[in-house]
Amino acid sequence: MTNSPFTPGIAPGRLQPGAYDANFDDLHAPLDGHEAQVAADRCYFCHDAPCITACPTDIDIPLFIRQIATGTPEAAARTIFEQNILGGMCARVCPTETLCEEACVREAAEGKPVLIGQLQRFATDTVMASGAEHPFTRAAPTGKTVAVVGAGPAGLACAHRLAMHGHDVVIHDARPKGGGLNEYGIAAYKTVNAFAQAEIDWLMEIGGITLETGKALGADVTLDSLTKGFDAVFLGMGLAGVNALRAEGEDKDGVLDAVGFISDLRQASDLAGLPIGRNVVVIGGGMTAVDAAVQSRLLGAEMVTILYRRGPDAMPASQYEQDLAASKGVRIVFNAMPVAVLGNGSVTGVRAEYTRAEGKSLVGTGETFDIPADQVLKAIGQTLEGTPDGLQIEGGKIAVTGPGQTGVAGIWAGGDCASGGEDLTVTAVAEGRDAAEDIHKALS
C-alpha cells in the first residue's frame, strides 16, 4: 500500500474490499412485521404519554404504536407524517435515547424502553416502499409563491407544509443535491441505500415544489431579489462556516473539517478510495465528532482518539453515541483541549493540555501531553456564513421569535441557522413546519 500523494501517513485502501460493505452496513437492521408486533405490544399506550412531550415534533407516539399493533402500519405512518414529514430519516438519526425513549415509562421502570425509533422506521418505511400514492394532497392553488433557502430538514419540512396549503414553493440550495446535513453530514451507516435522496423524491410527490440546486444565497440569489420576487421567504440554509481550532499549527496538511470529511465520505462512490490516516485525532464532543471518529475506524484507521475539553456528563453526544464509539475502538480523552498541532508541514501529532472547571469557566492546568496523529478532524461547531442583510443576528445565528419570525416583514427562518434550535434534524423539521403554518396564516 502506498501513501496518499497529499499527506504522509494518509492513504486509501487500508482494508480488504469486502470489509467496507460490512463496516458501513445499516447500524440497526429494520424490524420485520413480527418483530414490530412484539415491540409494539410492549407499549402501555399512556393517556398522558411523556414520550409525546419529549418529541420535538409532538408525534402521537402511543397512537402510531397502537396502529402498528393492530396491523395498520399505513395509518401509523400517516400519524407520524402529519407531524413530521421527514419521519423516516428522523427514525434513523434522531437521538431517541435522550428524547422519547428516555421519557418512556418502560425505561423508568425496567431500563428498557419501547423501541419507538425502530417502530417509527417500520411504519414510515412500509409506506415509502409500497409505491402507494403520496399520503397528502395539495389544497386548491392559492396563487401565492414562497422562496425557501436551503433544502435541509427545515427547508424541506417548510416547503412540504406550504405545498399542502396550496402555495407554490421554490427551494434554492447551494449544493448539487438537496437534503442538507441529511445528505452530507450524517454517518453513512445511519442512512444507507441513498435514503436521504429517496426521501426527498417521495416528499416532493406532493407537487408544487421546485428544487433549484447550485443556488447559494448571496452569490447566486440575493435576499432582496427573493423578497421582491416572492410573497414570502423562509431561510433554512444551516451553518456553512467552520469554527477555527485556535491552536498553533492548525493550518498544517492533514487538518480537516469533520463535516467536510463526512461529506466526502457520503458522496464517495468507492469507500476504498478514501484516504485515511493511521492515527486520527478528532477534536470535539458532539454527534459530528462521534460520526467522524467511528467512520475513521471503519475506513481502517488504526488509532482514533476523540479529544473533548470537558467531562463525560457535559459531552453533547449522548451516552449511547459514546458507547458506540467505544465499541468501535475509539478512545475518548476527556478534560483535555488542543494547544498545538505538531509537525513540519504535515501533521505528526496533537499537543493537548488537561483542563479543569473554575466556576463556569474552563482553564488549562498547565499539564500537557502529545498524541501521535497524521490526520486531525475538527468537529468544534459551525457558523453562519455571511449575514443576510437587514436581519438581526443573535449568538451567531438569525434571531427569531415564535414560529420563525425574524422581525422583518415577509421573512422567516428556522433550523440550524436560526436562534433557539438544538442542532437536531427533528428540531429543524419542527421549526420548518411551524414557520410554514405561520407563513400560511400571513398569506391568508
Side-chain angles (χ1 to χ4, degrees), residues 36-57:
Q37 288 284 338
V38 172
D41 283 342
R42 294 189 65 244
C43 183
Y44 287 136
F45 310 118
C46 306
H47 172 67
D48 54 348
C51 56
I52 299 177
T53 304
C55 175
T57 52

Side-chain angles (χ1 to χ4, degrees), residues 24-206:
F24 287 89
D25 196 9
D26 209 330
L27 181 62
H28 299 294
L31 301 177
D32 62 27
H34 174 70
E35 291 169 330
Q37 288 284 338
V38 172
D41 283 342
R42 294 189 65 244
C43 183
Y44 287 136
F45 310 118
C46 306
H47 172 67
D48 54 348
C51 56
I52 299 177
T53 304
C55 175
T57 52
D58 302 312
I59 294 171
D60 191 335
I61 294 169
L63 174 60
F64 92 68
I65 294 179
R66 186 183 292 277
Q67 289 167 324
I68 292 174
T70 56
T72 55
E74 297 83 5
R78 186 177 182 90
T79 297
I80 295 162
F81 288 136
E82 283 174 349
Q83 293 296 100
N84 183 346
I85 195 60
L86 298 181
M89 180 61 76
C90 288
R92 289 161 165 79
V93 306
C94 194
T96 54
E97 66 276 3
T98 62
L99 296 172
C100 55
E101 291 180 13
E102 183 178 65
C104 178
V105 294
R106 286 277 196 181
E107 169 66 21
E110 307 167 16
K112 187 178 180 182
V114 175
L115 301 177
I116 298 171
Q118 289 179 266
L119 286 169
Q120 179 168 312
R121 176 175 174 178
F122 172 76
T124 54
D125 281 8
T126 296
V127 167
M128 292 178 65
S130 69
E133 188 175 342
H134 191 76
F136 301 101
T137 55
R138 296 190 70 198
T142 63
K144 302 291 186 179
T145 61
V146 181
V148 170
V149 180
L156 291 169
C158 182
H160 186 273
R161 186 57 62 100
L162 287 167
M164 280 180 59
H165 286 308
H167 308 301
D168 290 316
V169 184
V170 179
I171 307 176
H172 305 80
D173 195 272
R175 293 187 183 259
K177 294 180 182 178
L181 288 181
N182 286 357
E183 172 62 34
Y184 292 96
I186 292 172
Y189 52 78
K190 294 180 180 177
T191 169
V192 301
N193 300 323
F195 180 78
Q197 289 305 302
E199 187 174 50
I200 290 175
D201 294 340
W202 175 84
L203 178 151
M204 292 185 66
E205 288 178 13
I206 185 74

